[in-house]
Amino acid sequence: SQTIHQWPATLVQPVGSPLSLECTVEGTSNPNLYWYRQAAGRGLQLLFYSVGIGQISSEVPQNLSASRPQDRQFILSSKKLLLSDSGFYLCAWSVAGTGTISQPQHFGDGTRLSIL
Amino acid sequence: KQEVTQIPAALSVPEGENLVLNCSFTDSAIYNLQWFRQDPGKGLTSLLLIQSSQREQTSGRLNASLDKSSGRSTLYIAASQPGDSATYLCASTDAGNMLTFGGGTRLMVKP
Protein backbone atom coordinates (compact mmCIF):
# COMPACT_ATOMS: atom_id res chain seq x y z
CA SER A 1 0.00 0.00 0.00
CA GLN A 2 1.03 3.58 -0.52
CA THR A 3 2.16 5.80 2.32
CA ILE A 4 3.25 9.41 2.57
CA HIS A 5 5.64 10.77 5.15
CA GLN A 6 6.29 14.35 6.17
CA TRP A 7 8.84 15.67 8.58
CA PRO A 8 9.31 17.30 10.88
CA ALA A 9 5.87 17.32 12.50
CA THR A 10 6.49 20.67 14.16
CA LEU A 11 9.12 23.33 13.65
CA VAL A 12 9.86 26.66 15.30
CA GLN A 13 12.18 28.92 13.36
CA PRO A 14 13.37 32.52 13.74
CA VAL A 15 12.62 35.11 11.07
CA GLY A 16 15.31 35.13 8.41
CA SER A 17 16.39 31.51 8.92
CA PRO A 18 16.31 28.91 6.11
CA LEU A 19 13.71 26.16 5.81
CA SER A 20 13.62 22.65 4.45
CA LEU A 21 10.54 20.45 4.75
CA GLU A 22 10.63 16.99 3.28
CA CYS A 23 7.92 14.72 1.94
CA THR A 24 8.36 11.20 0.63
CA VAL A 25 5.91 8.73 -0.86
CA GLU A 26 6.24 4.97 -0.78
CA GLY A 27 4.51 2.24 -2.72
CA THR A 28 3.89 4.06 -5.99
CA SER A 29 5.86 5.34 -8.95
CA ASN A 30 5.76 8.69 -10.74
CA PRO A 31 3.13 10.23 -8.49
CA ASN A 32 1.88 13.79 -8.81
CA LEU A 33 3.07 15.65 -5.73
CA TYR A 34 1.65 18.75 -4.07
CA TRP A 35 2.50 21.24 -1.33
CA TYR A 36 -0.34 23.08 0.43
CA ARG A 37 -0.38 25.66 3.20
CA GLN A 38 -3.16 26.16 5.73
CA ALA A 39 -2.71 29.50 7.45
CA ALA A 40 -4.57 30.35 10.64
CA GLY A 41 -8.16 31.29 9.85
CA ARG A 42 -7.73 30.57 6.16
CA GLY A 43 -8.44 27.66 3.88
CA LEU A 44 -5.98 25.33 2.23
CA GLN A 45 -3.94 26.94 -0.51
CA LEU A 46 -1.99 25.07 -3.17
CA LEU A 47 1.62 26.26 -3.27
CA PHE A 48 3.42 23.92 -5.67
CA TYR A 49 2.78 20.81 -7.66
CA SER A 50 4.98 18.43 -9.61
CA VAL A 51 4.20 15.85 -12.27
CA GLY A 52 7.75 14.48 -12.48
CA ILE A 53 11.37 14.79 -11.38
CA GLY A 54 12.60 18.35 -11.73
CA GLN A 55 9.16 19.58 -12.88
CA ILE A 56 7.74 22.17 -10.50
CA SER A 57 4.79 24.49 -11.01
CA SER A 58 4.06 27.33 -8.65
CA GLU A 59 0.53 28.49 -7.99
CA VAL A 60 1.28 31.46 -5.78
CA PRO A 61 4.29 33.82 -5.87
CA GLN A 62 5.97 33.77 -2.51
CA ASN A 63 9.05 33.40 -0.42
CA LEU A 64 9.12 29.64 -0.86
CA SER A 65 10.45 27.22 -3.46
CA ALA A 66 10.03 23.52 -4.12
CA SER A 67 12.22 20.83 -5.61
CA ARG A 68 11.78 17.22 -6.64
CA PRO A 69 15.22 15.62 -6.70
CA GLN A 70 13.86 12.07 -6.83
CA ASP A 71 10.66 10.49 -8.11
CA ARG A 72 9.04 10.16 -4.71
CA GLN A 73 10.67 13.05 -2.84
CA PHE A 74 9.30 16.57 -2.66
CA ILE A 75 11.06 19.33 -0.74
CA LEU A 76 9.75 22.73 0.31
CA SER A 77 12.43 25.34 0.99
CA SER A 78 13.07 28.93 1.84
CA LYS A 79 16.30 30.89 2.06
CA LYS A 80 14.89 33.45 4.53
CA LEU A 81 11.66 32.85 6.41
CA LEU A 82 9.12 35.61 6.99
CA LEU A 83 6.56 35.87 9.76
CA SER A 84 3.86 35.33 7.14
CA ASP A 85 5.30 31.88 6.34
CA SER A 86 3.83 30.52 9.56
CA GLY A 87 1.19 27.87 9.01
CA PHE A 88 0.41 24.22 8.61
CA TYR A 89 2.10 22.71 5.56
CA LEU A 90 0.64 19.64 3.93
CA CYS A 91 2.13 17.40 1.29
CA ALA A 92 -0.12 15.28 -0.92
CA TRP A 93 0.25 12.77 -3.72
CA SER A 94 -1.99 11.35 -6.40
CA VAL A 95 -1.80 8.97 -9.28
CA ALA A 96 -1.91 10.86 -12.56
CA GLY A 97 -5.47 10.96 -13.86
CA THR A 98 -6.45 9.53 -17.23
CA GLY A 99 -8.97 11.19 -19.50
CA THR A 100 -11.83 12.55 -17.47
CA ILE A 101 -11.23 10.25 -14.53
CA SER A 102 -9.24 12.19 -11.99
CA GLN A 103 -7.58 10.59 -9.01
CA PRO A 104 -7.97 11.42 -5.35
CA GLN A 105 -5.21 13.20 -3.51
CA HIS A 106 -3.83 11.64 -0.35
CA PHE A 107 -2.37 13.83 2.35
CA GLY A 108 0.45 13.51 4.85
CA ASP A 109 0.12 14.44 8.51
CA GLY A 110 1.49 17.93 7.97
CA THR A 111 4.20 20.14 9.47
CA ARG A 112 3.23 22.94 11.81
CA LEU A 113 5.67 25.81 11.22
CA SER A 114 5.88 28.70 13.66
CA ILE A 115 8.04 31.69 12.85
CA LEU A 116 9.25 33.80 15.77
CA LYS B 1 -11.41 31.10 -11.01
CA GLN B 2 -13.15 28.39 -9.01
CA GLU B 3 -14.55 29.38 -5.63
CA VAL B 4 -15.77 26.79 -3.14
CA THR B 5 -17.97 27.73 -0.20
CA GLN B 6 -19.06 25.61 2.74
CA ILE B 7 -22.05 26.29 4.93
CA PRO B 8 -22.33 26.30 7.87
CA ALA B 9 -18.85 27.23 9.09
CA ALA B 10 -19.55 25.49 12.40
CA LEU B 11 -22.20 23.06 13.59
CA SER B 12 -22.97 21.56 16.99
CA VAL B 13 -25.43 18.67 17.27
CA PRO B 14 -26.38 16.09 19.90
CA GLU B 15 -25.26 12.53 19.38
CA GLY B 16 -27.53 10.44 17.17
CA GLU B 17 -28.71 13.22 14.89
CA ASN B 18 -28.57 12.97 11.13
CA LEU B 19 -26.91 16.00 9.58
CA VAL B 20 -26.09 17.58 6.25
CA LEU B 21 -23.03 19.60 5.34
CA ASN B 22 -23.21 21.81 2.28
CA CYS B 23 -20.64 22.68 -0.34
CA SER B 24 -21.13 24.96 -3.34
CA PHE B 25 -18.82 25.78 -6.23
CA THR B 26 -18.95 28.48 -8.89
CA ASP B 27 -17.50 26.65 -11.90
CA SER B 28 -19.38 23.49 -12.83
CA ALA B 29 -16.55 22.23 -15.08
CA ILE B 30 -15.13 20.00 -12.38
CA TYR B 31 -13.60 16.55 -12.72
CA ASN B 32 -14.56 15.39 -9.28
CA LEU B 33 -15.62 16.56 -5.86
CA GLN B 34 -13.80 15.24 -2.82
CA TRP B 35 -14.78 15.33 0.85
CA PHE B 36 -12.10 15.25 3.54
CA ARG B 37 -12.00 15.08 7.29
CA GLN B 38 -9.38 16.97 9.30
CA ASP B 39 -8.83 16.40 13.00
CA PRO B 40 -7.19 19.24 14.99
CA GLY B 41 -3.50 19.55 14.13
CA LYS B 42 -3.65 16.66 11.70
CA GLY B 43 -3.57 16.11 7.99
CA LEU B 44 -6.55 15.39 5.76
CA THR B 45 -8.25 12.04 5.46
CA SER B 46 -10.15 11.42 2.24
CA LEU B 47 -13.73 10.34 2.94
CA LEU B 48 -15.48 10.21 -0.41
CA LEU B 49 -14.73 11.14 -4.00
CA ILE B 50 -17.49 11.66 -6.55
CA GLN B 51 -16.46 11.65 -10.19
CA SER B 52 -18.17 14.28 -12.36
CA SER B 53 -20.22 11.57 -14.06
CA GLN B 54 -21.58 10.28 -10.75
CA ARG B 55 -24.43 11.52 -8.59
CA GLU B 56 -23.46 10.11 -5.22
CA GLN B 57 -21.07 7.94 -3.24
CA THR B 58 -21.63 6.10 0.01
CA SER B 59 -19.28 4.82 2.67
CA GLY B 60 -20.78 3.48 5.88
CA ARG B 61 -22.77 6.25 7.56
CA LEU B 62 -21.57 8.82 5.02
CA ASN B 63 -23.30 9.71 1.78
CA ALA B 64 -22.11 12.42 -0.57
CA SER B 65 -24.13 13.76 -3.48
CA LEU B 66 -23.13 15.90 -6.41
CA ASP B 67 -25.25 18.17 -8.59
CA LYS B 68 -22.90 19.75 -11.11
CA SER B 69 -25.55 21.82 -12.83
CA SER B 70 -26.43 23.65 -9.63
CA GLY B 71 -22.85 23.69 -8.35
CA ARG B 72 -23.63 21.83 -5.14
CA SER B 73 -22.52 18.86 -3.13
CA THR B 74 -23.79 17.63 0.21
CA LEU B 75 -22.30 15.30 2.78
CA TYR B 76 -24.89 13.43 4.79
CA ILE B 77 -23.83 11.88 8.10
CA ALA B 78 -26.29 9.44 9.61
CA ALA B 79 -26.59 8.76 13.33
CA SER B 80 -23.77 11.10 14.29
CA GLN B 81 -21.29 10.08 17.00
CA PRO B 82 -18.86 12.08 19.15
CA GLY B 83 -16.04 10.53 17.12
CA ASP B 84 -17.38 12.33 14.06
CA SER B 85 -16.30 15.66 15.58
CA ALA B 86 -13.79 17.21 13.19
CA THR B 87 -13.55 19.75 10.40
CA TYR B 88 -15.00 18.60 7.11
CA LEU B 89 -13.58 20.02 3.91
CA CYS B 90 -14.87 19.73 0.37
CA ALA B 91 -12.67 20.33 -2.65
CA SER B 92 -13.33 20.44 -6.36
CA THR B 93 -10.82 19.10 -8.85
CA ASP B 94 -10.12 20.68 -12.22
CA ALA B 95 -8.72 19.19 -15.42
CA GLY B 96 -5.15 19.50 -14.11
CA ASN B 97 -6.05 17.60 -10.93
CA MET B 98 -5.76 20.81 -8.93
CA LEU B 99 -7.89 21.00 -5.81
CA THR B 100 -9.79 24.10 -4.72
CA PHE B 101 -10.88 23.82 -1.11
CA GLY B 102 -13.79 25.28 0.75
CA GLY B 103 -13.26 26.89 4.14
CA GLY B 104 -14.56 23.83 5.98
CA THR B 105 -17.35 23.06 8.42
CA ARG B 106 -16.29 22.52 12.02
CA LEU B 107 -18.55 19.80 13.45
CA MET B 108 -19.02 19.09 17.13
CA VAL B 109 -21.14 16.09 18.15
CA LYS B 110 -22.04 16.22 21.83
CA PRO B 111 -22.52 13.00 23.80
Side-chain angles (χ1 to χ4, degrees):
Chain A
S1 64
Q2 301 88 0
T3 55
I4 179 169
H5 303 280
Q6 275 188 254
W7 66 93
T10 59
L11 188 60
V12 180
Q13 292 284 96
V15 170
S17 63
L19 172 73
S20 180
L21 302 181
E22 190 161 344
C23 171
T24 59
V25 180
E26 297 177 359
T28 187
S29 296
N30 197 31
N32 291 346
L33 296 172
Y34 310 84
W35 277 111
Y36 291 86
R37 176 169 61 201
Q38 191 173 36
R42 301 181 65 180
L44 271 158
Q45 182 183 40
L46 177 65
L47 301 175
F48 301 96
Y49 68 95
S50 172
V51 298
I53 295 175
Q55 300 179 61
I56 310 293
S57 296
S58 174
E59 288 295 297
V60 182
Q62 60 219 311
N63 184 42
L64 303 169
S65 62
S67 62
R68 184 170 178 174
Q70 299 181 43
D71 181 44
R72 289 168 288 178
Q73 184 185 29
F74 206 21
I75 297 172
L76 184 69
S77 304
S78 174
K79 293 182 179 178
K80 285 187 177 182
L81 286 167
L82 306 172
L83 282 174
S84 58
D85 292 324
S86 292
F88 190 49
Y89 289 81
L90 288 160
C91 180
W93 74 272
S94 73
V95 175
T98 56
T100 57
I101 303 298
S102 56
Q103 299 294 330
Q105 292 188 18
H106 307 276
F107 286 77
D109 288 335
T111 295
R112 184 157 304 283
L113 175 64
S114 299
I115 310 300
L116 303 179
Chain B
K1 182 185 174 184
Q2 178 74 283
E3 291 182 8
V4 179
T5 304
Q6 290 187 246
I7 295 173
L11 182 64
S12 180
V13 300
E15 181 177 5
E17 273 204 8
N18 302 325
L19 57 99
V20 175
L21 307 181
N22 296 294
C23 172
S24 61
F25 46 94
T26 55
D27 185 351
S28 62
I30 64 171
Y31 271 50
N32 68 46
L33 194 293
Q34 203 167 351
W35 281 93
F36 297 89
R37 168 184 173 139
Q38 185 176 29
D39 292 289
K42 300 292 185 180
L44 276 62
T45 300
S46 180
L47 298 174
L48 290 165
L49 181 148
I50 314 174
Q51 298 288 352
S52 61
S53 58
Q54 298 173 325
R55 298 283 293 185
E56 65 177 347
Q57 282 286 327
T58 298
S59 175
R61 294 182 293 107
L62 305 180
N63 176 278
S65 67
L66 175 64
D67 184 342
K68 277 183 57 178
S69 61
S70 67
R72 293 183 182 183
S73 176
T74 61
L75 179 66
Y76 175 81
I77 303 177
S80 58
Q81 303 171 357
D84 294 330
S85 298
T87 296
Y88 291 80
L89 296 160
C90 70
S92 67
T93 305
D94 64 18
N97 210 35
M98 298 298 113
L99 291 178
T100 301
F101 283 87
T105 293
R106 195 168 58 255
L107 173 65
M108 174 71 70
V109 181
K110 300 176 187 176

